[in-house]
Amino acid sequence: EVHLVESGGGLVQSGRSLRLSCAASGFIFDDYSMHWVRQVPGRGLEWVSTITWNSGDVGYADSVRGRFTISRDNAKNSLYLQMNGLRAEDSAFYYCAKAMAVAGATLDSWGQGTQVTVSS
Amino acid sequence: DIHMTQSPSSLSASVGDRVTITCRASQGITTYLNWYQQKPGKAPNLLIYAASNLQSGVPSRFSGSGSGTEFTLTISSLQPEDFATYYCQQSFSTPRVSFGGGTKVEI
């Protein structure tokens, strides 16, 4: 069974940094693209970032490009999101999600999320 | 960027009703369209992928159709556990994907 567990969220001041982690199990981690998606409570889903199976291609939403960096460690079955220069509008639940393919964006498994709150 | 528009944003329905949700893309995405269900306090769950393919374990009362710019999600007979928010997502412009605004299905 696929299991994704996010960690690293918390309360942080505007302008500071946080690093989110996602521990994966139950599947061959380096066979799949991975994504971060965020959601402000009561609002819709917003795609944040993507990384392909071998880190060969990454993508970012315009709202986070230049501030956030996605990475993965296939040896540790882990996905990361380094968030710098945090803003109040970055406050949300952050989900890691597994794609159905090495470079796909159909998200067939999701973690339960970690909450990030940025105080201004 | 491809913009996804869902309608309606919310709807009221009863158990046993047939429910249809529409998703429109700002440009053609062939069948690179997925549907997710999200219940309060939970992560989203994949229902339909590639416009019309039922994800494993999803009840057959859910179906999807469409191609190009217009897509629909249909629940043939609404069950109590189906009251949730539904999102469409385009995966045409991978890695830059986008979600619709969501449709809340309420009693």
Side-chain angles (χ1 to χ4, degrees), chain A residues 37 39 43-47 50 57-62 65 95 100 103-108 110-112, chain B residues 1 34 36 38 41-46 48-50 55 87 89-91 94-101:
Chain A
V37 176
Q39 184 175 37
R43 305 287 295 274
L45 301 170
E46 179 188 15
W47 170 75
T50 300
D57 193 16
V58 299
Y60 299 96
D62 290 342
R65 185 178 295 110
Y95 296 101
M100 291 180 80
T106 298
L107 308 177
D108 64 353
W110 298 62
Q112 286 307 299
Chain B
D1 286 357
N34 308 306
Y36 300 86
Q38 187 180 33
K42 300 292 187 181
N45 182 50
L46 178 66
I48 302 283
Y49 63 95
Q55 172 68 347
Y87 294 93
Q89 176 224 8
Q90 65 82 14
S91 54
T94 301
R96 296 179 60 79
V97 301
S98 49
F99 292 89

Side-chain angles (χ1 to χ4, degrees), chain A residues 18-92:
Chain A
L18 273 179
R19 188 194 196 205
L20 304 184
S21 299
C22 173
S25 61
F27 65 103
I28 302 173
F29 184 68
D30 53 6
D31 274 358
Y32 299 95
S33 175
M34 297 294 294
H35 296 245
W36 288 101
V37 176
R38 69 185 180 184
Q39 184 175 37
V40 175
R43 305 287 295 274
L45 301 170
E46 179 188 15
W47 170 75
V48 174
S49 186
T50 300
I51 187 166
T52 53
W53 68 282
N54 62 352
S55 306
D57 193 16
V58 299
Y60 299 96
D62 290 342
S63 57
V64 307
R65 185 178 295 110
R67 300 186 298 123
F68 290 11
T69 302
I70 191 171
S71 62
R72 65 191 294 163
D73 185 336
N74 287 345
K76 295 182 177 180
N77 289 348
S78 294
L79 174 72
Y80 306 101
L81 186 68
Q82 178 67 42
M83 305 187 295
N84 299 331
L86 283 162
R87 305 167 179 167
E89 55 265 35
D90 295 319
S91 296

Side-chain angles (χ1 to χ4, degrees), chain B residues 10-20 61-62 74-84 86 104-107:
Chain B
S10 66
L11 65 89
S12 295
S14 300
V15 173
D17 283 354
R18 182 181 182 88
V19 169
T20 299
R61 62 181 179 274
F62 290 92
T74 299
I75 309 172
S76 60
S77 177
L78 198 66
Q79 297 302 302
E81 59 268 31
D82 301 336
F83 291 95
Y86 294 84
K104 187 173 184 179
V105 177
E106 302 174 292
I107 299 174

